[in-house]
Amino acid sequence: MALTDHSDVFIGSTGDGWTFVVLNRRIRNGARILTGAGFTAREHQGRTLYLLPPETAQDAHERAGVAAYGLMAHTLDLVDLAWTTRQHGATPSREPDVTICFTDHAVTATAATDQAAAVLAQHGFTPAGAKRQYALPPGLGESDAVSAVVRAESHLYADGISVRIDLDIATPQDIPPAPSRPGAAPAPPLAPPVKRRSR
């Protein structure tokens, strides 16, 4: 599974500024809610993505907020780690106080202030080598890591500390494919090549 697959609804941002929504289960009127909020549906590697192109944080915040509000009438299992919808997160000229990065092997963070570092510590981040560098424990499962980041980001945001989440997804094309469904029939084996007799 990918980090986008652990909740009914995942809202995130690509490195190049697109806001995206992944629906991991069928949600009544989900497509209508998202397209009504201005998202465009696109088929991508076995799943439908809902995308907003790069725009101002205020516009993205409003559109994603309308979509999230509509979807929460059907599920509360929603994760929002989109930096593009945060007023402070979509301004490239200003460095956030905290940057949290997902990679294949770790979840790391940098904190510009002691206050930000203290919040990270409350949510399981520990010092990791260089000054102001932190990481979640390496044995933490992906679902637990996503939950820890959601809690940390919410706490930081509530305290007025700017934070940006880097999902390690550079463009919409890099959004992970849909997970394989358990119990799906295996693909039939390829037929062996037909040997032709030489004459």
Side-chain angles (χ1 to χ4, degrees):
M1 290 183 88
L3 65 96
T4 55
D5 299 328
H6 295 281
S7 54
D8 290 349
V9 179
F10 186 94
I11 304 173
S13 302
T14 61
D16 60 356
W18 288 75
T19 305
F20 67 89
V21 177
V22 171
L23 300 180
N24 290 309
R25 74 167 177 87
R26 191 178 187 101
I27 294 179
R28 187 173 162 221
N29 298 321
R32 184 184 57 77
I33 290 166
L34 287 159
T35 56
F39 285 80
T40 301
R42 181 191 299 175
E43 294 304 312
H44 173 71
Q45 299 190 58
R47 71 163 96 228
T48 303
L49 299 177
Y50 296 90
L51 300 167
L52 279 180
E55 56 186 343
T56 68
Q58 182 176 351
D59 288 344
H61 176 79
E62 288 175 7
R63 291 177 190 274
V66 166
Y69 183 78
L71 293 169
M72 283 192 296
H74 305 283
T75 181
L76 295 179
D77 186 14
L78 183 146
V79 168
D80 180 0
L81 295 178
W83 63 265
T84 48
T85 62
R86 311 299 197 264
Q87 295 291 345
H88 59 266
T91 308
S93 60
R94 181 171 176 238
E95 285 294 317
D97 297 318
V98 174
T99 301
I100 299 174
C101 299
F102 284 85
T103 65
D104 287 340
H105 307 293
V107 179
T108 60
T110 57
T113 66
D114 291 340
Q115 181 188 7
V119 171
L120 288 173
Q122 289 179 46
H123 296 283
F125 285 84
T126 57
K131 186 177 180 184
R132 303 282 185 198
Q133 298 286 322
Y134 303 88
L136 286 175
L140 200 61
E142 192 172 65
S143 180
D144 291 332
V146 170
S147 295
V149 171
V150 167
R151 291 190 304 272
E153 195 267 353
S154 298
H155 190 162
L156 291 161
Y157 192 76
D159 285 0
I161 300 170
S162 61
V163 58
R164 178 171 170 154
I165 309 292
D166 180 349
L167 300 173
D168 197 29
I169 299 173
T171 72
Q173 293 303 321
D174 300 311
I175 295 170
S180 58
R181 293 190 173 101
L190 294 175
V194 176
K195 292 185 179 179
R196 298 184 185 272
R197 285 187 185 171
S198 57
R199 293 186 179 195

